Amino acid sequence: MTRRTILATALAAGLVGSLSLLAAPLPAFAQDKIKIGYAISKTGPNAGGANITQIPNYQLWFKELNDKGGLMIGGKRVPIEVVEYDDRSNSEEAVRAVERLITQDKVDLLLPPWGTGLNLAVGPVFNKHGYPQLTFSAVTDQAPALVKRWPNSFWFLGTSVQYIDALVELLSKQQKAGKINANVAMISVADGFGIDLSKAARDGLTKAGFKLAMDKSYPVGTQDMSPLISEAQRSGADTFIAFSYPPDTVAINDQAKVASFAPKVMFTGVGTGFPLFPQRFGANAEGIMSLGGWDPNNAGTAEYRKKHVAMHSRDPDYWGSQLGYVSLQMLEQAVERVGKIDRAAIVKELQTGTFDTVLGKFKLVDNMPPKGTYAYIGQWQNGFFTGVAPAGANMKEMVIPKPAWK
Amino acid sequence: MFLEPLLTGITLGGMYALVAMGLTLQYGVARIMNLSYGEILVAAAFGVFWLFTAAGLNPLLGLAVVVPAALVISWLIYRILLLPLVRRAKTRDALEVDSILATFGLLFVVQGVMLVIFGGAYYSYSFLAIPVNVFGVTIAANRLLALAFAAVIGLGLYLGLTRTRAGTALRAVAVDPVSAQLVAIDVRSAAAIAFALGGGLVASGGVLVSMFLTFNANIGVVFTMKALIVVIMGGVGNMLGALVAGLILGLTETFVATWIDPGLTLAATYTIFLIILLVRPQGLFGRSGR
């Protein structure tokens, strides 16, 4: 017998053995684990925001689920498995990653990516496959129309108009009290967020009798704000509004401080409620306003904040983080009530059910939190980013004028 | 009204020049198109941020730690990663292609390490954010400091390259590495020194701009692109060219943002770039190829 024959025989025997093993029937379980997947911007321009508002929430939720032994399905705990992809802040990558999560990884549940642009990009894929999309880092006036088109999509941060209405309401009250003039200086970043909000503000402010003494947009990535701050300073406006992103937000406030530009009302964009902001500005953060804001007396959000700090060694985003956590609590409760992975039933439960969350009893209306559920406008008061609008029981009074820079 | 954008533009230009001068050494002398250049700047910013927040070390003293570290690391990068490419390159063009590919890979390595250590979140601290009155215009002290460093370093290196024997040797290597060997210049050693010096310069830029810019692990590319424009506009390998080109860029952006529209600053930047390349393809201070 030649060496080649011996090798061939051994190889064949091994192959038969392997095939026998493969053919053995595996024991069948109804559901032995639940796969949860998401694409998120770990790199690229969106990474800054995603790493403050979204990724920490996902990690906290996964840890809590694992500590409990998983999701309660049909009377017993089912462990979770997480699949994560980096979409590199690119909509094509995000769509591709979500498609792969659905068709190859066959995840049971999907969590949304970060930002308005990417959530709009992946919306059709979520919808086509019937996955609930609980978006909490997107603001778009298209939200009500999108809910009609994609009934499985939920828009926790709502529309631009709702924030502008709350802000205009605040400003009108102050103007009627004679504390500010009618002039407003406004700047906005030239992307979806800035365009949507500045358009809504243009309409809202004008209707309320305000005059835009300055209305300028600037490109994404601008970090030298001196020309814009100088112009705002010369405009004579008592109110300054910036719809900005984290690096610009810091640069705007930094330049305003250097220029001693302290308008009576100073409102800046995303990033004002990030932990970075009080770190950078300390006592100078006092009086600055932005989107979001929390109730300093809410025990639920205080407990959530404590857990967030314990796990991540830094505060959450005082705008979107609490709603992100609420959305995950709702998803968890919806899945457990339905008792199995039936995505259509989960969507239905999310649309109609009432949930126990850190923001109290929570019920969506037309797939969005109704007005009064959380603060739309916040202001740094005594070192806490406090909700001041829309008017309601949990809202504090706005501090005016903004203190001078120290 | 004219003075404010003028002084603001000069300080912005100073920042661009400061950020770009290291690349003009790396590309002009060592002939390495370093695409991970911006990542080294961001790494330096993180280094000094960590020294400032964890150890309470003044960022200006942090320079004394971060810049030597960058010099050593850049020298090691050249000797270990890039020297094999230099040895095997048959032509200068082949070296450029290889160095672009190698440093493109290095970009992701450095970025990945920073993402693992610091994550993708934004970092920012404030140092010397003090208003200084200059001819009636208020400028932040930290931006003036960046401008001062740019001027001192630019002038110092220009004098060093033109008035010293070692500097002349470096320029000889830039002009013609083969001929330089004929007059006993150790070309590989000179190139490694130039590359390391470029790394040290970009680190000093990173330290200084971190005092007033917000940064995260992903913004290195922005700095590399800006530095490339400044280097090519100013003339490859010319320190004064980098300084002047940076100032032109800063002034252009500020004038356009002030008097036309902030949205057109990018268009203005590339328009200036195109005009200069059309009129003087070798750059403002460059020399025509022969």
Side-chain angles (χ1 to χ4, degrees):
Chain A
M1 186 173 281
T2 64
R3 190 164 68 118
R4 182 176 290 106
T5 305
I6 293 172
L7 285 174
T9 305
L11 187 62
L15 188 61
V16 170
S18 299
L19 289 171
S20 298
L21 286 175
L22 287 173
L26 296 171
F29 293 128
Q31 184 93 38
D32 62 334
K33 71 185 171 192
I34 293 173
K35 288 177 92 172
I36 302 174
Y38 62 94
I40 196 80
S41 304
K42 303 198 69 155
T43 59
N46 291 357
N51 276 270
I52 292 290
T53 311
Q54 204 139 330
I55 292 173
N57 263 319
Y58 291 171
Q59 291 170 343
L60 179 59
W61 189 51
F62 296 145
K63 178 187 183 298
E64 290 180 337
L65 286 182
N66 283 327
D67 287 351
K68 288 188 278 195
L71 284 162
M72 182 68 77
I73 300 288
K76 81 177 171 62
R77 289 283 169 186
V78 182
I80 61 166
E81 179 186 320
V82 175
V83 187
E84 179 192 65
Y85 291 117
D86 178 10
D87 61 41
R88 298 200 274 134
S89 304
N90 180 289
S91 47
E92 289 82 10
E93 291 283 343
V95 172
R96 205 173 298 139
V98 172
E99 290 270 16
R100 181 174 15 175
L101 286 164
I102 293 169
T103 62
Q104 291 182 45
D105 299 304
K106 298 194 192 301
V107 297
D108 298 300
L109 298 169
L110 280 169
L111 304 181
W114 191 89
T116 307
L118 295 195
N119 272 284
L120 294 178
V122 302
V125 186
F126 272 74
N127 178 249
K128 176 178 155 198
H129 296 276
Y131 283 78
Q133 180 185 2
L134 295 93
T135 294
F136 60 92
S137 54
V139 174
T140 175
D141 288 326
Q142 299 177 68
L146 290 170
V147 166
K148 287 186 170 63
R149 198 194 316 166
W150 304 329
N152 60 302
S153 70
F154 301 83
W155 303 86
F156 282 76
L157 289 189
T159 62
S160 308
V161 169
Q162 72 187 47
Y163 293 93
I164 296 306
D165 285 351
L167 179 59
V168 170
E169 187 182 311
L170 263 187
L171 297 179
S172 293
K173 181 181 170 187
Q174 301 302 336
Q175 200 212 350
K176 285 181 174 67
K179 295 186 176 175
I180 54 172
N181 63 23
N183 291 328
V184 176
M186 180 171 81
I187 66 176
S188 53
V189 64
D191 89 328
F193 170 81
I195 291 169
D196 268 1
L197 279 151
S198 61
K199 180 184 178 300
R202 223 166 273 128
D203 293 345
L205 289 166
T206 303
K207 278 185 189 128
F210 288 93
K211 180 189 164 228
L212 282 168
M214 176 192 180
D215 181 0
K216 281 275 179 76
S217 76
Y218 61 88
V220 175
T222 301
Q223 289 220 50
D224 183 22
M225 292 297 175
S226 351
L228 290 163
I229 295 297
S230 295
E231 186 175 342
Q233 202 161 14
R234 288 193 300 270
S235 71
D238 277 349
T239 301
F240 174 77
I241 296 171
F243 297 116
S244 52
Y245 274 152
D248 346 330
T249 299
V250 174
I252 285 162
N253 283 283
D254 207 35
Q255 182 58 30
K257 176 171 179 285
V258 164
S260 297
F261 172 54
K264 291 177 179 172
V265 176
M266 183 151 188
F267 178 104
T268 55
V270 182
T272 310
F274 281 14
L276 166 79
F277 197 83
Q279 274 165 31
R280 174 66 186 260
F281 293 101
N284 276 309
E286 202 69 15
I288 296 173
M289 300 173 64
S290 186
L291 304 133
W294 287 21
D295 177 0
N297 301 319
N298 185 319
T301 51
E303 182 60 33
Y304 159 68
R305 178 192 181 191
K306 197 180 297 176
K307 288 190 290 190
H308 187 289
V309 172
M311 184 173 187
H312 301 296
S313 301
R314 66 172 187 233
D315 273 339
D317 165 16
Y318 284 113
W319 178 17
S321 287
Q322 62 179 359
L323 287 156
Y325 193 69
V326 162
S327 75
L328 296 170
Q329 287 183 301
M330 286 177 61
L331 181 60
E332 178 181 346
Q333 289 168 45
V335 171
E336 292 185 340
R337 289 176 191 176
V338 169
K340 57 185 173 173
I341 300 298
D342 177 343
R343 286 182 284 273
I346 292 167
V347 167
K348 187 70 184 305
E349 180 64 23
L350 288 165
Q351 287 169 342
T352 59
T354 300
F355 300 87
D356 295 316
T357 74
V358 295
L359 283 172
K361 292 289 179 185
F362 212 85
K363 183 177 170 62
L364 299 178
V365 176
D366 296 328
N367 289 28
M368 293 164 66
K371 188 177 180 182
T373 316
Y374 63 93
Y376 296 162
I377 307 293
Q379 184 180 42
W380 283 100
Q381 296 180 355
N382 303 312
F384 192 84
F385 193 59
T386 308
V388 295
N394 301 325
M395 300 302 161
K396 303 301 183 204
E397 281 298 315
M398 171 184 173
V399 169
I400 187 167
K402 169 190 142 44
W405 299 99
K406 304 179 180 61
Chain B
M1 185 55 194
F2 176 76
L3 206 56
E4 180 164 23
L6 177 67
L7 290 176
T8 300
I10 288 174
T11 54
L12 182 63
M15 182 190 86
Y16 288 151
L18 179 66
V19 163
M21 280 188 286
L23 188 61
T24 203
L25 273 183
Q26 291 187 339
Y27 187 33
V29 178
R31 224 71 210 177
I32 303 293
M33 170 63 74
N34 182 6
L35 291 191
S36 67
Y37 183 80
E39 268 61 38
I40 306 299
L41 182 146
V42 175
F46 273 120
V48 83
F49 172 85
W50 179 77
L51 289 171
F52 182 67
T53 57
L57 191 67
N58 180 310
L60 293 177
L61 294 181
L63 274 169
V65 176
V66 170
V67 172
L71 280 164
V72 171
I73 289 167
S74 295
W75 188 84
L76 288 173
I77 287 171
Y78 186 85
R79 298 294 298 197
I80 295 171
L81 178 68
L82 300 171
L83 196 49
L85 305 183
V86 174
R87 284 203 180 101
R88 116 186 149 199
K90 292 185 163 61
T91 66
R92 179 169 279 186
D93 290 339
L95 174 58
E96 283 194 24
V97 171
D98 285 349
S99 66
I100 285 171
L101 292 173
T103 57
F104 187 57
L106 182 63
L107 183 164
F108 288 107
V109 172
V110 179
Q111 189 180 96
V113 171
M114 290 192 294
L115 280 166
V116 168
I117 298 174
F118 294 98
Y122 286 107
Y123 289 80
S124 185
Y125 69 98
S126 183
F127 186 76
L128 289 183
I130 300 159
V132 174
N133 192 284
V134 182
F135 303 121
V137 178
T138 302
I139 309 277
N142 47 24
R143 287 180 185 263
L144 287 177
L145 188 67
L147 173 61
F149 263 74
V152 169
I153 291 171
L155 196 62
L157 276 169
Y158 174 76
L159 292 176
L161 287 169
T162 57
R163 303 279 194 243
T164 68
R165 188 176 186 81
T168 303
L170 289 187
R171 284 189 298 117
V173 171
V175 172
D176 192 336
V178 176
S179 300
Q181 287 185 86
L182 296 179
V183 293
I185 294 172
D186 182 347
V187 172
R188 297 217 167 122
S189 190
I193 288 167
F195 189 87
L197 203 54
L201 281 175
V202 72
S204 65
V207 170
L208 289 157
V209 304
S210 72
M211 293 177 191
F212 52 84
L213 293 190
T214 301
F215 53 95
N216 75 355
N218 296 286
I219 61 167
V221 178
V222 176
F223 289 104
T224 304
M225 295 300 291
K226 222 64 165 197
L228 271 174
I229 293 171
V230 170
V231 166
I232 293 169
M233 269 179 67
V236 175
N238 193 295
M239 303 305 294
L240 278 198
L243 187 58
V244 172
L247 292 175
I248 289 172
L249 214 62
L251 287 165
T252 300
E253 285 194 6
T254 306
F255 286 165
V256 168
T258 300
W259 290 317
I260 305 179
D261 190 295
L264 290 176
T265 51
L266 213 58
T269 298
Y270 283 97
T271 300
I272 291 284
F273 185 46
L274 283 172
I275 289 171
I276 288 176
L277 286 191
L278 284 171
V279 173
R280 282 186 65 85
Q282 71 274 29
L284 296 171
F285 288 72
R287 195 169 298 151
S288 301
R290 37 180 84 88

